[in-house]
């Protein structure tokens, strides 16, 4: 294979994986924030939900680019089985396996989200909870595999992603949240 193409595939695989981590972290944080039903970041709740969906779909697209580029990269040596079944890879099998688990969960969450109107709110919500497993698994995959796994700049990106999602979770679960939010319960029941 042409060395320039090989280098381009390697760079695209790295870059799209890191970009996917950042965008999916943003999506998770927006999902947590948007679940409050309140305005935040200068957007109403519908704007937040739309931004969350857009970030999620963009993240999925970046994951697809990440997988395809690494599949064709001769150094990554990914096989079709590595994309579907975890922990069978030849290179850092545990860390690669975590990425496979994250992709499998992402696939299920994405399909159910796209079929939200057909599966109903209970199934959607139940499957969507898998995101809380998917995201930290993807973060661990980013820190454990690849040529940049020990780079300081990747640590900084990872810390920023964890801090963003963590801040959203702390904000969402804070004691003062109940007084600022809205309730889905009728006024008589909410009192």
């Amino acid at each position: 294979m042409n060395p320039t193409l090989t280098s381009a595939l390697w760079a695209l695989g790295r870059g799209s994986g890191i970009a996917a981590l950042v965008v999916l972290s943003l999506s998770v944080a927006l999902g947590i924030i948007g679940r409050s039903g309140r305005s935040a970041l200068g957007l109403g709740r519908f704007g937040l939900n739309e931004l969350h969906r857009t970030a999620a779909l963009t993240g999925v697209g970046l994951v697809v680019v990440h997988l395809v580029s690494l599949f064709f990269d001769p150094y990554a040596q990914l096989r079709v089985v590595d994309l579907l079944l975890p922990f069978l890879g030849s290179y850092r099998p545990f860390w690669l396996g975590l990425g496979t688990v994250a992709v499998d969960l992402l696939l299920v969450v994405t399909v159910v989200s796209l079929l939200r109107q057909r599966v109903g709110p209970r199934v959607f919500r139940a499957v969507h909870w898998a995101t809380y497993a998917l995201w930290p698994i993807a973060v661990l995959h980013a820190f454990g595999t690849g040529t940049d796994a020990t780079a300081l700049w990747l640590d900084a990106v990872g810390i920023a992603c964890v801090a963003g999602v963590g801040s959203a979770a702390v904000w969402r679960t804070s004691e003062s949240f109940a007084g600022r939010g809205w309730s889905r319960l009728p006024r008589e029941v909410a009192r």
Side-chain angles (χ1 to χ4, degrees):
M1 185 177 275
N2 180 337
T4 304
L5 179 59
T6 301
S7 293
L9 287 171
W10 178 74
L12 183 60
R14 283 175 48 214
S16 58
I18 294 162
L21 176 64
V22 170
V23 174
L24 289 173
S25 296
L26 175 64
S27 175
V28 170
L30 288 168
I32 292 168
I33 292 168
R35 184 68 183 115
S36 72
R38 300 184 276 136
S39 299
L41 308 173
L43 297 170
R45 71 177 202 215
F46 295 112
L48 278 171
N49 286 336
E50 191 59 36
L51 190 56
H52 164 68
R53 274 192 291 275
T54 300
L57 289 174
T58 302
V60 169
L62 287 166
V63 168
V64 169
V65 171
H66 176 65
L67 294 173
V68 169
S69 61
L70 291 178
F71 184 74
F72 288 106
D73 180 354
Y75 294 114
Q77 300 177 354
L78 288 181
R79 304 165 300 170
V80 174
V81 71
D82 297 329
L83 301 176
L84 302 171
L85 299 175
F87 312 112
L88 299 177
S90 58
Y91 175 76
R92 296 184 182 171
F94 176 74
W95 300 108
L96 179 63
L98 289 178
T100 303
V101 169
V103 167
D104 292 346
L105 288 170
L106 183 64
L107 181 64
V108 171
V109 170
T110 302
V111 168
V112 169
S113 295
L114 292 173
L115 297 174
R116 183 179 188 171
Q117 300 303 320
R118 292 184 185 255
V119 299
R122 284 189 179 168
V123 171
F124 168 77
R125 222 173 295 123
V127 171
H128 217 72
W129 274 93
T131 304
Y132 292 111
L134 154 70
W135 180 78
I137 291 170
V139 171
L140 290 172
H141 165 74
F143 282 120
T145 194
T147 55
D148 298 312
T150 59
L152 185 60
W153 67 267
L154 183 60
D155 291 344
V157 169
I159 289 167
C161 291
V162 170
V165 171
S167 296
V170 166
W171 174 78
R172 176 68 173 88
T173 59
S174 66
E175 282 187 39
S176 61
F177 178 81
R180 296 186 309 237
W182 56 275
S183 173
R184 291 179 178 223
L185 299 174
R187 291 184 195 264
E188 308 81 50
V189 177
R191 293 183 187 163

